[in-house]
Amino acid sequence: WYVEAGDDGNVKLKNVSTNKYIGQIRKSEAVVMQADVANAAQFAWTNQTGTYAVFKDVNTEGVAEGDLNYLYGHVNGGNLVGWEAGSNPTQWSVAKVDRITVKYKLNDVVQSTVTEYVRQGTVYTVSSPIDFTAPSAVTVGETELEAGDGVFSFTVTEGATVTVELVEDLPFTKTVLNPDGTFPANTAWYVVKQHSTAGYAWTWKYDETNGVTAESGLTTGYTDNHLWCFAGSKDDLKIYNKAAGKGFSLTNTNPASMAAENNAVWKMVKSAAEASFAGKNPFCLQNGDANSYLNAQNNKEKGINELKYWTSRDQGSTIMVIPHQPLSIKYMFKGEELTDLSVNEVVEVGS
């Protein structure tokens, strides 16, 4: 609200959004907003104590004798109402605010602009309204902020334009394929689980279908068939399997499989069941249609869990990734490898 000067030290209240004034206050009647300033209520700013004030309409035209109508804190049908002097008048909190316009940019392109009115003296903490991103640099006017413990914040003293540079903040490290399409030596591999906190592990089965299943109850004994990596961005991910190798990626067929020269990409979205996966950085994968999410579903005829589509970002569509890497152990004796003892395993990173 704007507090505008009225006559004889009184004030008028004008809404910033509608550009209209509060009209004359009448007992038990809903407040009517007025476009014409001539019809605006003129309030005596009385009984002010600190940041609180009582608003009394000084216009007595048409008001019953003895009634002095106040802006009342209760609502009637969603509208503010007037009330008479005999009741304890509402004390309103009044605080000066400043207009803060925040522009969020990702890859130098403005993704979103938000305008807020913030109370002076407030410590404003910058966050990202865009899923799977985080602020990397923040400028208030011409001043670049320094992050304190990874958090950007500033005290509001005046209106300002805030520019926020965002970067992707993903639950996995993306892979950049070699020019020939092979996986680089530093590829970050993950076991991908879906459907519950215990999770069904994605598994590529090499057969005539190149199908991908979701195995339940699997916690050890992983092989290259269980290792997946991600390339692209949060809005156009391509998903690869280590055993499937160069050129093969996850399709958007129903059910999903692996295919070469496949242009299917996936978009990361928040899981609606996020609270059930606390600390596991869950997400869902969306394909085109907003109601089309990759989901682990049981095929009773085949006796397997397939990756198919579902219309909800529920627990069955929720995905977790756990970093794993292949581990080869060779035992040598006098320069000769003891091949019978060699071990090839897939182990969780950090174990």
Side-chain angles (χ1 to χ4, degrees), residues 147-180:
D149 296 326
V151 176
F152 293 95
S153 61
F154 63 96
T155 300
V156 176
T157 59
E158 59 183 359
T161 296
V162 181
T163 302
V164 182
E165 300 287 349
L166 301 174
V167 292
E168 288 189 327
D169 185 20
L170 307 178
F172 49 80
T173 299
K174 296 187 300 183
T175 292
V176 178
L177 299 180
N178 293 324
D180 63 355

Side-chain angles (χ1 to χ4, degrees), residues 210-332:
N210 275 323
V212 178
T213 62
E215 296 185 52
S216 61
L218 189 63
T219 57
T220 59
Y222 297 121
T223 66
D224 286 358
N225 296 65
H226 300 99
L227 293 183
W228 303 83
C229 70
F230 303 85
S233 73
K234 67 182 185 66
D235 293 327
D236 57 359
L237 281 178
K238 289 187 73 68
I239 303 172
Y240 299 91
N241 178 268
K242 190 173 191 300
K246 172 184 174 180
F248 281 78
S249 62
L250 189 68
T251 69
N252 55 7
T253 53
N254 195 20
S257 62
M258 299 293 289
E261 299 180 1
N262 164 35
N263 294 321
V265 293
W266 301 89
K267 180 180 179 180
M268 293 179 64
V269 294
K270 284 282 191 180
S271 167
E274 191 172 30
S276 300
F277 294 80
K280 299 182 182 294
N281 298 315
F283 59 94
C284 297
L285 290 174
Q286 174 185 336
N287 172 39
D289 184 347
N291 293 319
S292 185
Y293 305 96
L294 199 59
N295 184 281
Q297 298 178 21
N298 181 253
N299 185 323
K300 294 182 180 179
E301 292 183 2
K302 296 181 180 179
I304 59 175
N305 297 313
E306 296 178 313
L307 300 186
K308 303 189 75 173
Y309 290 132
W310 189 240
T311 58
S312 172
R313 296 175 292 115
D314 60 9
Q315 185 162 300
S317 300
T318 300
I319 293 168
M320 305 169 291
V321 294
I322 304 100
H324 281 68
Q325 287 292 337
L327 176 67
S328 296
I329 302 176
K330 295 182 179 180
Y331 292 91
M332 310 293 292

Side-chain angles (χ1 to χ4, degrees), residues 94-98 118-121 157-159:
V94 181
K96 189 177 188 303
V97 295
D98 285 311
V118 181
R119 187 170 181 162
Q120 280 194 348
T157 59
E158 59 183 359

